[in-house]
Amino acid sequence: MTQNPSSNPPELRPDLAPQLQVQETPRAGQPTLGMVSLGCPKALVDSERILTRLRAEGYGISPDYTGADAVIVNTCGFLDSAKAESLDAIGEALKENGKVIVTGCLGAEPDYIREHHPRILAVTGPHQYEQVLDAVHAAVPPDPNPFVDLLPATGVQLTPRHFSYLKISEGCNHRCKFCIIPDMRGRLVSRPAHAVLREAEKLVTAGVRELLVISQDTSAYGMDRKHDLNPWKGDEVRSHITDLTRELGRLGNPKDLWIRLHYVYPYPFVRELIPLMADPDTAVLPYLDIPFQHSHPDMLKRMARPAAGAKTLDEIAAWRATCPDITLRSTFIVGYPGETEAEFQHLLDWMDEAKLDRVGCFKYENVDGARSNALPDHVAEEVKQDRWERFMQKAQAISEAKLEAKVGQTMDVIIDDIDEDGIATCRTKADAPEIDGNLFIDEGTDGLKVGEIVTVEVDEAGEYDLWGKLG
């Protein structure tokens, strides 16, 4: 059996969206825009909305700079390394194309961007769609053809056709000391429940097989709306994550549709979601992406995390008692200012008990504007690296043991890709795109199609990936 190397190595940043995919060819003479989308899935959704508006005005879309009349760079400002990546992308776009419009999180710092790249045409902040459109109109006037430029019902989609991100809110009300997202994206603003459900229904009707629910804080959905009631299919639904998830799970047969929850903060009422995940008649996957960040209570207080007092191990045990098949994914920060060796060891011991299925890990770094920059006792870079390596070694061992236990099991997988050698790259219900592992099928794939959900028997396991054969 051919062991493909995982496309998700442990050093992968766990905040990245899949690579942008544009699945159309501009018509001759059509004004065309290139798009570079950096950062997280929430930014990718912003890119989709911008391009949907532009596509409706008659613009063609190019996946790169080739033949484009201008380029939009949707930036990330989450970490200083992400800022550097954004500046590099802007520089490359200026070099290759010359006409560049900048938007996204780093756009909240226009002077910083112009200091490095004074030739850019315009800068707008995150989710400032109208300002982006104004900048595009000024740089490349629209020239729509009403007989040709028809917008598909689902808008422009930048992910593969079989899965889509569903953004349910913007912003965040937390003030975690290491994070500047609230400063860039503002406070929590939830979409009405019926608007989310209507968008989800359209996507499912258009053939999307997996909806990935995202926001800055999915658990807080609807709090800003005081969990108001919204009309839906002759009844009413609350703007509350439990009610929204229940309704999403009813949009399709679980054999044909997957609903996956991301960025769920560990509030106590999260336990209300778990019975939905355990219900075999709902499309909600038994998968919970929950950013713990650390385990030691003193560390969580220094981070100003909202769940500093939660007894997370007790909660995890309760979730697993209700839904034994649940997959738990989380992200952690090592080397945060003030982190002692004892506190880091507490995290390793906690991992031994929690045995999370999937983890990502950041080495702490200062971000301009973050309150954590001013904390005392910053950790030396070599110590951060050592702790990151020890943490990932622990996580890898846990992952390897968990995957080995799946050998011999039969499970459903969704097909993401079939290469020229006939090897199918798939994901199980335990695997989100880009950030988790894969399952590979390297025999008998004739007749399979990307986006299908098929049944396989697992016959081999690696550190992060599985191999299987069609059942």
Side-chain angles (χ1 to χ4, degrees):
M1 178 168 290
T2 305
Q3 287 239 353
N4 292 48
S6 172
S7 62
N8 300 293
E11 66 270 22
L12 183 73
R13 264 179 39 203
D15 62 315
L16 296 183
Q19 290 296 306
L20 177 150
Q21 297 188 21
V22 175
Q23 298 153 339
E24 63 177 69
T25 303
R27 60 176 167 79
Q30 187 176 23
T32 303
L33 296 165
M35 186 73 177
V36 178
S37 190
L38 304 173
C40 66
K42 293 175 285 295
L44 190 70
V45 172
D46 287 343
S47 296
E48 289 178 338
R49 289 178 178 171
I50 291 167
L51 292 185
T52 293
R53 294 283 299 275
L54 292 170
R55 180 69 182 81
E57 294 183 357
Y59 290 95
I61 300 163
S62 171
D64 51 34
Y65 319 117
T66 306
D69 297 300
V71 176
I72 301 170
V73 180
N74 191 359
T75 58
C76 178
F78 179 53
L79 300 169
D80 283 355
S81 54
K83 290 183 178 182
E85 182 183 16
S86 293
L87 290 176
D88 287 346
I90 295 167
E92 183 180 352
L94 284 168
K95 178 182 176 183
E96 297 292 332
N97 183 279
K99 289 187 175 182
V100 177
I101 295 161
V102 177
T103 188
C105 286
L106 192 57
E109 304 179 49
D111 294 341
Y112 174 78
I113 296 173
R114 290 191 181 279
E115 178 184 337
H116 290 83
H117 296 299
R119 292 196 297 122
I120 57 174
L121 298 179
V123 184
T124 74
H127 50 264
Q128 292 182 343
Y129 308 129
E130 298 300 331
Q131 291 91 325
V132 176
L133 293 174
D134 289 344
V136 169
H137 295 158
V140 185
D143 184 22
N145 181 333
F147 299 103
V148 177
D149 298 325
L150 298 176
L151 184 67
T154 56
V156 175
Q157 193 173 328
L158 300 178
T159 52
R161 294 184 187 278
H162 61 283
F163 71 81
S164 182
Y165 292 101
L166 183 68
K167 184 155 63 169
I168 63 174
S169 65
E170 277 288 0
C172 181
N173 289 347
H174 299 306
R175 302 295 296 174
C176 304
K177 289 187 177 180
F178 55 81
C179 183
I180 59 171
I181 293 296
D183 297 325
M184 292 188 294
R185 289 189 167 263
R187 292 179 62 79
L188 176 71
V189 179
S190 302
R191 298 174 62 196
H194 64 288
V196 175
L197 291 166
R198 191 162 55 239
E199 180 185 351
E201 191 173 51
K202 285 183 179 180
L203 289 167
V204 173
T205 300
V208 169
R209 308 295 294 276
E210 180 177 8
L211 293 173
L212 300 108
V213 177
I214 59 169
S215 65
Q216 300 298 146
D217 177 2
T218 297
S219 305
Y221 171 73
M223 287 182 177
D224 57 309
R225 305 180 63 88
K226 302 189 185 327
H227 302 310
D228 60 341
L229 291 172
N230 297 261
W232 178 244
K233 293 188 179 297
D235 204 344
E236 291 181 319
V237 59
R238 277 195 312 163
S239 293
H240 187 286
I241 189 56
T242 305
D243 299 54
L244 182 70
T245 302
R246 183 182 297 110
E247 292 300 323
L248 288 170
R250 292 171 175 167
L251 291 179
N253 187 304
K255 277 289 186 182
D256 302 315
L257 177 66
W258 291 0
I259 307 294
R260 190 183 301 274
L261 300 183
H262 284 281
Y263 312 120
V264 180
Y265 276 70
Y267 299 134
F269 63 77
V270 166
R271 63 178 69 114
E272 297 171 12
L273 292 169
I274 310 304
L276 297 175
M277 298 179 177
D279 184 351
D281 296 323
T282 179
V284 180
L285 295 181
Y287 180 99
L288 197 58
D289 173 16
I290 191 156
F292 290 120
Q293 305 298 11
H294 211 280
S295 65
H296 197 284
D298 292 342
M299 280 295 300
L300 292 168
K301 287 176 184 175
R302 288 201 292 275
M303 291 176 171
R305 290 292 290 166
K311 296 180 179 179
T312 52
L313 288 174
D314 291 343
E315 286 294 320
I316 289 171
W319 298 339
R320 285 175 170 153
T322 302
C323 183
D325 294 333
I326 195 168
T327 295
L328 298 178
R329 140 166 279 284
S330 191
T331 51
F332 296 87
I333 298 172
V334 296
Y336 187 82
E339 183 186 52
T340 65
E341 179 60 29
E343 288 168 339
F344 175 70
Q345 186 60 51
H346 183 281
L347 175 58
L348 294 183
D349 295 342
W350 184 92
M351 285 283 289
D352 276 329
E353 289 194 63
K355 288 186 168 47
L356 302 181
D357 302 85
R358 302 293 194 189
V359 298
C361 186
F362 291 103
K363 288 176 286 187
Y364 172 82
E365 61 179 74
N366 283 341
V367 179
D368 189 29
R371 293 183 296 156
S372 56
N373 300 354
L375 290 174
D377 303 320
H378 279 243
V379 178
E381 287 301 321
E382 59 270 21
V383 176
K384 290 182 197 174
Q385 181 66 26
D386 173 70
R387 289 178 182 172
W388 183 87
E389 290 174 359
R390 288 157 61 196
F391 179 91
M392 290 310 299
Q393 185 177 20
K394 173 78 67 178
Q396 178 180 313
I398 293 170
S399 171
E400 198 168 1
K402 289 231 174 198
L403 293 182
E404 185 63 36
K406 294 183 178 182
V407 173
Q409 292 184 21
T410 298
M411 58 185 63
D412 292 337
V413 300
I414 192 165
I415 301 172
D416 282 339
D417 181 64
I418 302 174
D419 68 16
E420 57 189 17
D421 296 321
I423 297 174
T425 301
C426 315
R427 288 179 293 107
T428 74
K429 293 179 179 180
D431 302 306
E434 297 290 311
I435 58 175
D436 293 330
N438 292 311
L439 181 143
F440 299 99
I441 308 171
D442 55 11
E443 296 175 357
T445 59
D446 291 346
L448 295 184
K449 296 179 181 178
V450 170
E452 274 190 287
I453 297 175
V454 298
T455 302
V456 300
E457 180 183 339
V458 179
D459 57 11
E460 192 171 341
E463 295 168 350
Y464 296 99
D465 300 311
L466 297 168
W467 286 260
K469 57 187 176 183
L470 290 168

